[in-house]
């Protein structure tokens, strides 16, 4: 199983904080560094304030050399698809072809209100995401020297030169994710390289994966070609006291983390990851709750990561 590091910097992180975690991610042998794409903290002030996901990843692209980089997930409500395709292609080039493009419909209404971003009804958000995927991948995949035109309900593109191209050809891997039980896994089976179910208990992850596999079968796609992944909050400690201290520092209930996320000793974490692997996951994103606790990541790298290889 691939283990990827995932951060939620809107909860309170500077670029330097993220740079330190990304460098540790690379040095300790993890597969990738991902970040959320949010503009408002949840439940706390989130000082010093949010940072833009693709600005951050562009900078990290020049400060790292091996790890994959991406978002879980860029909200389709935040950006127009043409400029988004340009930004992601540029970051891919800056990284030497290490970007993965995660896209979601957007869900956090309060952050839209806080920064003047329209927040249409759920069905429209999903359809906008579908059209954005059409436009972004269409621009990337258009052969050089040709133009791209698209007429959708929400987005229209006319005779675009479809530049710049990403370093990865024909395009970076596409990750679609969310907790929706039907439309998202179906769209992932149709269009994505990876389907991600974030922060859900094991039974829910298993059910969503099953829907995605059935959709692949209906579409005559080999289910093995769709990467299935999950994302979980991480709280690992060698002792109960160490676990309790980490949970307390991040204001999380340890019992709830044990029940629904990845919390426990290194061996317990390995067993829990094994259960997700049995459900079909070949990749897990580990959300670090405290970006100022380097020993946490070092512990997982030393005692969890080797058991998964």
């Amino acid at each position: 199983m691939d283990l990827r590091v995932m951060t939620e910097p809107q909860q309170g992180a500077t670029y330097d904080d993220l740079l330190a975690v990304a460098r540790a991610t690379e040095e300790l042998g993890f597969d990738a560094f991902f970040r959320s794409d949010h503009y408002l903290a949840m439940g706390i002030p989130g000082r010093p304030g949010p940072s833009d996901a693709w600005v951050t990843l562009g900078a990290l692209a020049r400060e790292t050399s091996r790890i994959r980089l991406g978002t879980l997930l860029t909200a389709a409500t935040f950006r127009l698809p043409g400029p988004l395709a340009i930004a992601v292609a540029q970051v891919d080039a800056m990284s030497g072809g290490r970007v993965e493009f995660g896209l979601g419909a957007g869900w956090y209404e309060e952050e839209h209100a806080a920064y003047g971003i329209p927040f249409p009804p759920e069905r429209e958000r999903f359809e906008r995401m579908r059209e954005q995927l059409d436009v972004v991948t269409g621009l990337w995949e258009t052969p050089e020297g040709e133009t791209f035109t698209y007429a959708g309900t929400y987005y229209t593109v006319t005779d675009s030169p479809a530049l710049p191209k990403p370093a990865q050809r024909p395009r970076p891997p596409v990750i679609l994710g969310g907790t929706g039980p039907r439309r998202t896994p179906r769209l992932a089976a149709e269009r994505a390289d990876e389907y991600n179910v974030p922060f859900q208990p094991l039974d829910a992850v298993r059910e969503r994966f099953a829907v995605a596999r059935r959709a692949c079968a209906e579409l005559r796609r080999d289910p093995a070609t769709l990467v299935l992944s999950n994302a979980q909050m991480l709280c690992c400690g060698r002792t109960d006291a160490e676990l309790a201290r980490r949970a307390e520092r991040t204001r999380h209930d340890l019992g709830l983390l044990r029940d629904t996320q990845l919390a426990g000793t290194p061996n317990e974490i390995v067993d829990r990851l094994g259960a997700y692997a049995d459900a079909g996951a070949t990749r897990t994103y580990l959300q670090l709750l405290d970006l100022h606790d380097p020993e946490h990541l070092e512990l997982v790298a030393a005692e969890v990561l080797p058991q998964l290889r």
Side-chain angles (χ1 to χ4, degrees):
M1 176 182 281
D2 291 337
L3 286 188
R4 296 183 158 189
V5 174
M6 189 264 177
T7 61
E8 295 264 7
Q10 79 280 351
Q11 298 300 98
T14 65
Y15 171 73
D16 287 339
D17 295 330
L18 296 175
L19 175 59
V21 175
R23 284 175 169 166
T25 298
E26 184 156 274
E27 292 165 2
L28 293 170
F30 291 93
D31 179 65
F33 173 91
F34 272 60
R35 59 155 292 164
S36 63
D37 193 354
H38 281 298
Y39 292 132
L40 188 68
M42 302 165 196
I44 60 175
R47 292 183 179 87
S51 53
D52 184 85
W54 289 103
V55 170
T56 299
L57 292 172
L60 294 178
R62 309 302 289 179
E63 298 282 359
T64 57
S65 61
R66 178 187 61 80
I67 51 174
R68 308 290 291 177
L69 300 166
T71 52
L72 277 187
L73 295 156
T74 283
T77 51
F78 285 176
R79 301 169 182 87
L80 296 173
L84 178 60
I86 292 170
V88 178
Q90 182 177 1
V91 176
D92 193 48
M94 292 167 72
S95 71
R98 292 182 286 123
V99 158
E100 303 194 4
F101 177 55
L103 184 66
W107 62 271
Y108 189 20
E109 184 172 5
E110 288 84 351
E111 71 184 338
H112 293 74
Y115 287 96
I117 303 168
F119 188 73
E122 181 179 0
R123 181 172 294 277
E124 180 179 331
R125 296 199 308 275
F126 185 86
E127 292 306 317
R128 283 181 177 273
M129 176 181 72
R130 184 193 296 273
E131 289 192 14
Q132 286 215 355
L133 185 59
D134 289 342
V135 173
V136 171
T137 59
L139 289 166
W140 289 340
E141 293 172 356
T142 297
E144 290 196 41
E146 298 183 13
T147 59
F148 175 75
T149 294
Y150 178 86
T153 301
Y154 301 104
Y155 304 106
T156 299
V157 178
T158 305
D159 294 333
S160 172
L163 296 172
K165 298 301 185 191
Q168 298 174 88
R169 305 303 292 268
R171 57 168 175 75
V174 169
I175 304 167
L176 292 180
T179 59
R182 294 178 303 277
R183 289 180 299 176
T184 301
R186 175 79 184 190
L187 184 60
E190 291 175 358
R191 302 292 308 280
D193 300 288
E194 178 179 285
Y195 170 51
N196 179 265
V197 182
F199 311 119
Q200 297 297 300
L202 178 61
D203 287 347
V205 171
R206 185 184 292 111
E207 291 171 3
R208 302 298 188 274
F209 285 174
V211 174
R213 288 195 198 94
R214 287 196 298 270
C216 284
E218 292 167 3
L219 295 164
R220 297 184 180 180
R221 173 181 180 175
D222 180 357
T225 64
L226 179 64
V227 174
L228 300 177
S229 66
N230 62 302
Q232 305 295 137
M233 297 178 187
L234 176 70
C235 186
C236 184
R238 293 184 180 88
T239 65
D240 288 344
E242 186 176 352
L243 269 173
R245 183 171 67 252
R246 286 206 162 99
E248 183 178 1
R249 283 180 60 180
T250 58
R251 301 179 183 179
H252 282 80
D253 179 86
L254 181 57
L256 186 60
L257 289 175
R258 280 187 178 275
D259 288 342
T260 63
Q261 303 297 316
L262 288 175
T265 65
N267 285 337
E268 288 173 331
I269 297 292
V270 170
D271 290 343
R272 187 81 171 178
L273 288 169
Y276 283 102
D278 289 342
T282 60
R283 179 173 293 158
T284 295
Y285 295 80
L286 306 175
Q287 185 195 342
L288 296 184
L289 299 174
D290 184 355
L291 301 187
H292 303 95
D293 183 6
E295 292 82 6
H296 195 195
L297 202 56
E298 291 167 6
L299 172 62
V300 176
E303 300 192 23
V304 174
L305 195 55
Q307 298 189 61
L308 302 177
R309 291 177 171 170

